[in-house]
Amino acid sequence: MSRIAARFKALAAQGRGALIPYLEAYDPDRETSLELFRAMPAAGADLIEVGMPFSDPSADGPVIQAAALRGLKAGATLVGVLDMVAEFRKGDDETPVILMGYVNPVESYGYERFCKDAAAAGVDGLILVDLPPEEGAVIAAPAQAAGLDIIRLVAPTTPDARLEYVLGHASGFVYYVSIVGITGTRSASAHDLAGAIPRIRAATDLPIAIGFGVRTPEQAAQAASIADGAVVASALLATLAQTLDEQGRATSQTLPRVLEQIRGLAQAVRAAGQQPE
Amino acid sequence: MANPIEHGGAAAQSNSFRQQPDEHGHFGGRYGGRFVAETLMPLILELNEAYEAAKADPAFHKELVYYQTDYIGRPSPLWFARRMTEAFGGAKIYLKREELNHTGSHKLNNVMGQILLARRMGRTRIVAETGAGQHGVATATVCALFGMKCVIYMGATDVERQKPNVFRMRLLGAEVVPVTAGAGTLKDAMNEAMRDWVANVADTYMLIGTVAGPHPYPAMVRDFQSVIGEETKAQMQAAEGRLPDVVVAAIGGGSNAMGIFYPFLDDVSVRLIGVEAAGHGLDSGKTAASIERGRPGVLHGNRTYLLQNADGQIDEAHSISAGLDYPGVGPEHSWLNDIGRAEYVGATDTEALEAFQLCTKLEGIIPALESAHAIAYAAKIAPTLSKDTLLVVNLSGRGDKDIFTVAEHLGVSL
Ligand SMILES: Cc1ncc(COP(=O)(O)O)c(C=O)c1O
């Protein structure tokens, strides 16, 4: 069983959803982001999403754009990102790691070589925001051969007829983009989520994680209990950005503040799971 | 749905260059496509259906022709440039006068087609990206004409170097949003316009200004711009009784070039030349020549030649002309380049500035700096061609917007 499937299965047995925090590789530098990455599981991360910085993140809001820019300035490359995952894996063989980014750097690296190298580094799944299933043939076979899950996005705008098509190309889990918009701008209401998730459930057996607009412990708890997991990205990156000095360098506050926020999110997600249905 | 008549037609014309893209929006099976986030995917599928329906509807064409004629001022003349021809001392030079269109460039051809489509689709709010501001002005113009809300994203650098157009757009009632991300040029404006569209899908139509973006934009914009080549063909027939030998056009995203090339694609005797902005020189590292110095990759919804580094990060383009300052190119050009049906060359900032002055002095026409790149290359090859060679330059826009930039480079303070 893949690390992703095993983790969701174990959490389901515990009766709770997953907390999936996001970090941008090399933000604000390689060492800091690797240290954060390594400390995340102990702080309560059930799965981890690692952003691969891209020069033109057209589906992201200002917070992730700035994080990507800091990562690129610090010298992020795909080789460097995979190397970070390999370092992480030396100390953690269980927490699933998902890489999230845009397709061009991967195309440039070469789909087959990338999938092989990513799997060898210990990556479990890929989210390529601008590679819809219509264009997904380039990566489907190499990912399958390497044992990588291709995690598909589903949006509120995805109609029922299309849902089936998209989920036909999904593995690992389904990432529900809970708002019509870019990352880090608005949040979905519990009411919207309660309406949307059963529609997806009816179309797939895969676990469902909710992302885009999950910021507070309350929202994370709610999302993780309505669905199977909550992805928190912009809220963590915004905290990280606040701790940097004037030159954009990490300070003694950077790791403690981000980790403290993750602990708060994890506590809420866990507490929500223990409440009787 | 497989239409047997269409299938028969396609088979009968299988060696035509005018059958692209395929149903997935791919040119030559490789370029173009639909590389967008899931939130936008249902929208571009809907747009494709709406465009196909409009294309098949005679009422849509009738409406478009009405606005082309009475509002844009089409057809635009094909002008025999006698003094330029004499000065170059070779090929006979004709200028396709797209600068005479309302708002001063070819951009309105596409914008008019798309705004009529947006109205058919019931959209009330328009977002667009702009570089030189010509597409922004054209878009703001039709939004004024039809009373629609208009938001234009423009790189902060371009807002600075194209002030008259910013003022024009605001006069026309558009909201102009300066984009500070990246180098603050066209690619950054495009990212921001896409972000706006993702966030406002219910009422918003994204009006892309060139033959780029996800399918169906490259094909749709080409179709709306093809009026340039169709007119040129008929006008040259009337003037010289035959096809031109060479057609030259500047390449930013590639819409004015695709518009004049497309009707000639199957006339293989016609040499088609796209002139990219070489900036400080093709090998200077400060260039916008995506085909000549880039390699295929994915940006803004399609696969095409891109200026990018070894890790697939997109490079900043450089050109004196804001309208050519883009690190990509329309996917159909990438395909035409690979199969050798069109040639792609470069003209530098300096060559464009010289051509700008030359055209102004010899023909009494102030060309846009974008168009000046095409004139610069025509000036280079015309002397090597025989006097009976017919060479058409697409004069895509007028240069009034550029006089400040040109004055600065000539050391004149206005
Ligand atoms: C006058 C003119 N010509 C050419 C261009 C380049 O665009 P395209 O290559 O799409 O024709 C522009 C873009 O702003 C323009 O304003």
Side-chain angles (χ1 to χ4, degrees):
Chain A
M1 195 185 295
S2 74
R3 284 190 199 96
I4 293 175
R7 179 55 53 101
F8 275 108
K9 200 174 160 204
L11 294 178
Q14 291 173 35
R16 70 169 178 95
L19 174 68
I20 313 176
Y22 177 103
L23 75 109
E24 191 77 21
Y26 283 66
D27 173 24
D29 59 77
R30 181 180 187 278
E31 280 323 302
T32 306
S33 68
L34 179 57
E35 237 183 288
L36 176 61
F37 192 5
R38 282 173 159 157
M40 275 184 168
D46 297 305
L47 293 82
I48 298 170
E49 244 177 61
V50 177
M52 303 182 277
F54 181 49
S55 53
D56 293 80
S58 57
D60 285 301
V63 174
I64 297 189
Q65 287 175 47
L69 210 64
R70 288 192 299 268
L72 289 174
K73 271 212 182 114
T77 61
L78 285 195
V79 173
V81 175
L82 295 184
D83 190 59
M84 264 181 68
V85 178
E87 287 285 315
F88 172 86
R89 276 280 169 255
K90 286 181 187 163
D92 185 322
D93 197 33
E94 284 176 4
T95 308
V97 173
I98 293 110
L99 296 184
M100 181 158 184
Y102 292 78
V103 73
N104 195 56
V106 176
E107 175 154 318
S108 175
Y109 194 107
Y111 292 104
E112 218 175 299
R113 192 163 74 88
F114 182 76
C115 288
K116 257 190 213 151
D117 292 354
V123 172
D124 302 291
L126 296 176
I127 304 177
L128 295 173
V129 179
D130 55 348
L131 190 73
E134 279 81 355
E135 301 288 350
V138 286
I139 201 154
Q144 197 173 19
L148 290 179
D149 283 322
I150 296 293
I151 290 137
R152 288 271 159 223
L153 304 180
V154 167
T157 49
T158 310
D160 286 341
R162 180 172 168 75
L163 200 54
E164 211 174 302
Y165 170 71
V166 172
L167 294 175
H169 292 78
S171 58
F173 63 92
V174 178
Y175 189 127
Y176 180 62
V177 175
S178 66
I179 51 152
V180 177
I182 52 177
T183 52
T185 47
R186 31 179 121 143
S187 298
S189 67
H191 175 81
D192 288 346
L193 293 179
I197 301 304
R199 184 171 80 99
I200 305 169
R201 279 264 191 257
T204 184
D205 294 331
L206 292 172
I208 303 165
I210 297 175
F212 282 49
V214 183
R215 314 179 62 80
T216 64
E218 296 71 40
Q219 288 168 337
Q222 200 170 67
S225 50
I226 294 173
D228 306 302
V231 181
V232 183
S234 296
L236 294 171
L237 298 178
T239 300
L240 182 143
Q242 280 165 14
T243 66
L244 303 178
D245 71 11
E246 265 141 44
Q247 277 80 49
R249 290 174 307 209
T251 63
S252 60
Q253 285 302 299
T254 302
L255 287 177
R257 295 240 343 247
V258 178
L259 289 169
E260 177 189 285
Q261 195 175 359
I262 294 174
R263 272 182 225 108
L265 292 161
Q267 248 165 29
V269 166
R270 284 159 205 234
Q274 279 150 13
Q275 281 158 18
E277 293 273 313
Chain B
M1 290 300 289
N3 177 334
I5 297 171
E6 266 183 23
H7 265 255
Q13 300 186 32
S14 58
N15 47 13
S16 167
F17 296 109
R18 289 163 45 97
Q19 300 294 324
Q20 305 286 332
D22 65 18
E23 71 201 281
H24 308 291
H26 291 152
F27 293 90
R30 171 155 198 220
Y31 297 106
R34 293 183 276 227
F35 296 86
V36 297
E38 179 58 28
T39 314
L40 284 182
M41 200 63 206
L43 275 105
I44 63 168
L45 293 173
E46 181 200 356
L47 173 62
N48 190 45
E49 268 177 38
Y51 176 56
E52 289 299 321
K55 205 161 64 171
D57 181 356
F60 181 77
H61 286 278
K62 204 171 150 209
E63 196 183 13
L64 183 56
V65 168
Y66 165 73
Y67 286 105
Q68 282 176 339
T69 312
D70 288 6
Y71 192 74
I72 301 181
R74 301 210 70 88
S76 73
L78 182 68
W79 169 248
F80 169 50
R82 191 169 46 79
R83 294 195 65 211
M84 224 189 237
T85 300
E86 282 165 8
F88 295 164
K92 215 167 160 182
I93 310 292
Y94 281 86
L95 303 176
K96 179 60 175 163
R97 304 279 310 270
E98 290 299 300
E99 100 282 7
L100 290 176
N101 294 332
H102 181 40
T103 75
S105 81
H106 69 295
K107 296 285 175 185
L108 200 54
N109 301 328
N110 162 48
V111 164
M112 189 57 81
Q114 287 198 60
I115 199 85
L116 296 180
L117 183 62
R119 279 160 57 83
R120 269 173 79 106
M121 294 175 73
R123 301 292 196 268
T124 54
R125 179 176 177 272
I126 303 294
V127 296
E129 80 298 342
T130 196
Q134 292 303 95
H135 174 56
V137 166
T139 304
T141 297
V142 294
C143 286
L145 177 65
F146 292 110
M148 290 164 91
K149 196 167 176 342
C150 181
V151 181
I152 304 290
Y153 290 93
M154 186 168 186
T157 306
D158 291 340
V159 168
E160 235 357 84
R161 60 179 165 173
Q162 303 287 337
K163 280 189 191 136
N165 272 345
V166 174
F167 185 59
R168 264 181 210 115
M169 287 184 271
R170 290 186 171 142
L171 279 177
L172 289 160
E175 182 190 343
V176 180
V177 184
V179 179
T180 50
T185 59
L186 185 51
K187 110 177 148 81
D188 312 295
M190 185 83 157
N191 289 331
E192 210 52 35
M194 287 176 77
R195 291 182 186 117
D196 179 310
W197 192 26
V198 172
N200 297 286
V201 295
D203 62 350
T204 298
Y205 181 96
M206 178 157 170
L207 209 161
I208 295 181
T210 190
V211 285
H215 180 64
Y217 287 100
M220 176 169 70
V221 176
R222 171 201 71 198
D223 293 349
F224 289 140
Q225 290 292 4
S226 288
V227 65
I228 305 173
E230 277 151 19
E231 286 176 9
T232 302
K233 210 171 194 178
Q235 289 164 327
M236 190 59 96
Q237 192 66 37
E240 299 276 356
R242 65 183 184 87
L243 291 169
D245 300 297
V246 185
V247 174
V248 183
I251 306 265
S255 69
N256 85 85
M258 235 20 263
I260 198 166
F261 288 179
Y262 189 68
F264 291 108
L265 285 183
D266 287 336
D267 301 305
V268 292
S269 67
V270 183
R271 236 179 112 184
L272 305 173
I273 304 177
V275 186
E276 297 190 300
H280 292 186
L282 283 177
D283 295 313
S284 65
K286 281 191 154 292
T287 172
S290 324
I291 292 184
E292 292 156 282
R293 288 298 175 270
R295 61 192 170 88
V298 176
L299 181 71
H300 296 152
N302 67 93
R303 182 179 287 115
T304 192
Y305 279 86
L306 299 173
L307 296 174
Q308 55 179 319
N309 73 12
D311 202 46
Q313 306 294 340
I314 309 305
D315 286 333
E316 297 294 346
H318 169 85
S319 170
I320 188 174
S321 127
L324 306 184
D325 208 345
Y326 182 66
V329 61
E332 193 162 9
H333 287 295
S334 294
W335 173 66
L336 291 172
N337 173 70
D338 284 9
I339 62 170
R341 177 60 191 96
E343 302 159 47
Y344 295 87
V345 298
T348 63
D349 290 353
T350 309
E351 289 167 336
L353 277 168
E354 277 166 17
F356 178 96
Q357 297 170 73
L358 189 93
C359 181
T360 304
K361 287 203 176 115
L362 290 178
E363 296 296 332
I365 298 170
I366 303 178
L369 270 175
E370 290 81 13
S371 322
H373 286 72
I375 298 166
Y377 194 74
K380 205 179 272 184
I381 57 166
T384 70
L385 301 168
S386 69
K387 286 190 173 2
D388 59 358
T389 305
L390 304 178
L391 187 155
V392 181
V393 176
N394 195 8
L395 200 76
S396 56
R398 64 170 183 237
D400 308 50
K401 69 181 173 62
D402 294 314
I403 55 173
F404 297 98
T405 307
V406 173
E408 195 187 315
H409 280 270
L410 299 181
V412 179
S413 68
L414 293 183

